[in-house]
Amino acid sequence: MQNIHIGILGAGIVGLSTALCLQKAGYKVTLIDKESPGMGASFGNAGLFADYARLPFAKFAMMKKMPGMLLDKTSPLSMQGSYLPSLMPYGWEFFKACFPTKYVQGKKALTSLQECAQLTNQELLDLTDAQDLIKSEGCLGLFATEEGFSTAQNGDLQERREQGVNLEFLNANQVHDMEPDLANFHAGGVFYPDTRFTISPVELSRRYALYFSINGGKILQDEVQAVLPNDNEVTIMLSNSSVKYDQVVICAGFSSKEILTKLGVKIPLVSERGYHLTLDIGAKSLSRPVGWLDKAVFLTPMEDGIRLAGTAEFAFADAPLNPQRADEMLKHAKVMLGSAPEIKSTWVGSRPSTPDSLPIIGALEQHPRIKVGFGHGHLGLTFAAITGKLITQSIQGHVPIVDLKPFSAARFN
């Protein structure tokens, strides 16, 4: 297969994982990105391999809450006013995805990916000798009130349990025993014992890139201007040159939308920005990721400090960091920790989010030589390896281990 050359657009965790899977299968592979590997949205995530995430965001109960959340400056949801016109196609598809039949289909599709995700992630961790970057201490999700906790137990958490997620309910004292340096801001929560996390998302990407390069993979740091497919090959126009590949895989996160628009493929993908603050919490410590689920923020212990990550801000990808969003997150951290931590750094990046919470994976109907793997929203790290495996199987002509129909780009036609 070394005579088949595949170009991958995007060197985030999904593109890197796809490159490793294709390389392992014997293909010649080149990665193209304007930034260094792992420096886009993959740089700033909360670090979780979120095995529990099997429920689409799109449901009518959430839709009813959204106007109030957008008006509440302390809520985890916000929107840049000028971005509203860009949200209209997304909003219409979100509404359609809220109907019960669609919601159930979405749950089934996400669960089908989750059932393969842990094993495929482990295959790449073993391949690249990156296990030292992974911790298996589980994950805590906490609720501020008994009422909120009870509602979740009878709602989302019960749904997850029915989907096969391993979880335990803990009272406030049990949470304190697990994480004694947390403040008593909560009524209890849920513990996911099987959830893993990385102590450095960017180092994980670099480890993948290093293995890829050492084993013959090529990385081009350049900006893609256009993708021009024909019956025999795909030409990629770069800043000052062009390159030709037998097949191309688009794993460029939010930038995938613009590339596909030029190919006549319209995807209602939006820029859902997430923030993180790196904190110094002094003598205190955490053993695992801890989420305050009411506020949609997570504290994750990483090698450079505690990462405070979260929020969903619908805004242009190149908009400046909104200090108000960072300030609100810091207020939540103060409540969680019972004291004011020191901020070491601040970051914002764009998640590529779809209206139905499902990534877009597989071949383009209009252009068979182009495959896609993007739109993972909050689950890029979680689904990176399984996405790479499914794309590889698709290129090999094998029947994928997961049905790709729910993830087709054509579902929005």
Side-chain angles (χ1 to χ4, degrees):
M1 293 179 191
Q2 279 294 335
N3 59 338
I4 298 177
H5 195 177
I6 299 173
I8 299 178
L9 312 188
I13 193 65
V14 176
L16 288 162
S17 298
T18 302
L20 289 173
C21 290
L22 285 166
Q23 185 182 62
K24 188 180 175 187
Y27 294 99
K28 183 180 179 183
V29 185
T30 297
L31 269 168
I32 306 173
D33 199 311
K34 64 181 179 180
E35 297 186 86
S36 300
M39 291 305 293
S42 298
F43 178 88
N45 61 57
L48 279 76
F49 293 89
D51 61 305
Y52 53 81
R54 305 180 183 207
L55 305 179
F57 289 113
K59 50 184 174 181
F60 286 121
M62 173 59 73
M63 199 167 188
K64 289 173 185 173
K65 291 179 186 176
M66 289 174 88
M69 293 175 74
L70 288 169
L71 292 170
D72 179 2
K73 292 180 179 178
T74 69
S75 89
L77 184 66
S78 66
M79 180 182 67
Q80 183 184 10
S82 57
Y83 195 59
L84 181 60
S86 302
L87 279 173
M88 301 309 284
Y90 172 92
W92 173 241
E93 293 292 340
F94 186 95
F95 169 73
K96 291 196 291 185
C98 287
F99 284 88
T101 303
K102 287 284 189 185
Y103 177 74
V104 170
Q105 290 171 351
K107 277 173 50 174
K108 184 178 178 183
L110 285 172
T111 300
S112 71
L113 289 179
Q114 288 284 17
E115 286 172 345
C116 301
Q118 185 160 343
L119 180 60
T120 49
N121 278 319
Q122 191 59 50
E123 287 172 356
L124 294 191
L125 293 171
D126 290 342
L127 182 72
T128 58
D129 197 22
Q131 189 60 44
D132 59 303
L133 299 174
I134 309 302
K135 300 290 185 186
S136 302
E137 303 293 339
C139 167
L140 279 170
L142 306 180
F143 299 87
T145 65
E146 290 284 1
E147 181 183 8
F149 188 19
S150 177
T151 299
Q153 283 176 282
N154 296 314
D156 286 2
L157 298 179
Q158 178 59 28
E159 281 191 74
R160 287 178 179 171
R161 183 169 265 170
E162 290 168 358
Q163 289 173 287
V165 177
N166 186 15
L167 58 86
E168 304 166 18
F169 299 137
L170 305 180
N171 61 36
N173 289 333
Q174 290 170 313
V175 171
H176 176 75
D177 289 343
M178 292 185 77
E179 295 292 350
D181 285 342
L182 285 177
N184 295 320
F185 70 96
H186 54 83
V190 59
F191 177 56
Y192 298 107
D194 298 336
T195 301
R196 300 182 296 171
F197 69 98
T198 176
I199 58 171
S200 178
V202 71
E203 181 55 32
L204 182 62
S205 291
R206 288 170 180 159
R207 199 75 63 88
Y208 282 12
L210 179 62
Y211 182 92
F212 173 71
S213 298
I214 288 172
N215 287 277
K218 186 177 180 182
I219 299 176
L220 293 179
Q221 196 164 338
D222 206 333
E223 191 161 6
V224 173
Q225 305 296 325
V227 178
L228 308 172
N230 62 35
D231 290 343
N232 302 312
E233 61 192 9
V234 183
T235 301
I236 305 297
M237 304 302 295
L238 301 172
S239 301
N240 297 303
S241 64
S242 66
V243 284
K244 297 180 186 294
Y245 300 104
D246 296 292
Q247 299 209 37
V248 161
V249 188
I250 301 173
C251 300
F254 180 68
S255 298
S256 304
K257 181 176 183 176
E258 184 180 354
I259 296 169
L260 289 176
T261 299
K262 291 177 181 177
L263 287 168
V265 181
K266 291 188 177 180
I267 304 289
L269 192 75
V270 295
S271 162
E272 184 203 332
R273 305 205 312 168
Y275 285 66
H276 87 228
L277 283 65
T278 303
L279 308 177
D280 181 347
I281 63 172
K284 294 185 176 183
S285 67
L286 294 175
S287 300
R288 57 186 58 80
V290 178
W292 185 358
L293 302 185
D294 310 280
K295 303 298 183 183
V297 294
F298 269 85
L299 293 171
T300 304
M302 293 197 177
E303 63 180 9
D304 59 348
I306 299 293
R307 177 169 293 187
L308 170 67
T311 80
E313 178 190 51
F314 292 110
F316 289 105
D318 59 356
L321 181 144
N322 183 346
Q324 187 176 16
R325 301 308 303 167
D327 288 347
E328 286 299 326
M329 289 174 64
L330 186 60
K331 287 177 186 175
H332 302 330
K334 288 178 182 177
V335 174
M336 295 175 77
L337 296 165
S339 59
E342 177 190 338
I343 300 175
K344 297 169 71 175
S345 64
T346 309
W347 177 91
V348 64
S350 287
R351 307 180 189 97
S353 291
T354 61
D356 57 6
S357 303
L358 303 182
I360 299 167
I361 306 170
L364 290 182
E365 288 184 0
Q366 304 95 315
H367 307 289
R369 288 186 176 274
I370 298 178
K371 309 297 187 288
V372 293
F374 65 89
H376 296 74
H378 296 245
L379 299 174
L381 179 61
T382 306
F383 289 152
I386 184 59
T387 298
K389 185 158 195 165
L390 292 169
I391 288 172
T392 300
Q393 291 175 332
S394 178
I395 288 174
Q396 289 173 314
H398 298 167
V399 176
I401 55 172
V402 173
D403 180 11
L404 289 179
K405 188 177 179 183
F407 310 104
S408 168
R411 72 184 188 267
F412 299 113
N413 292 348

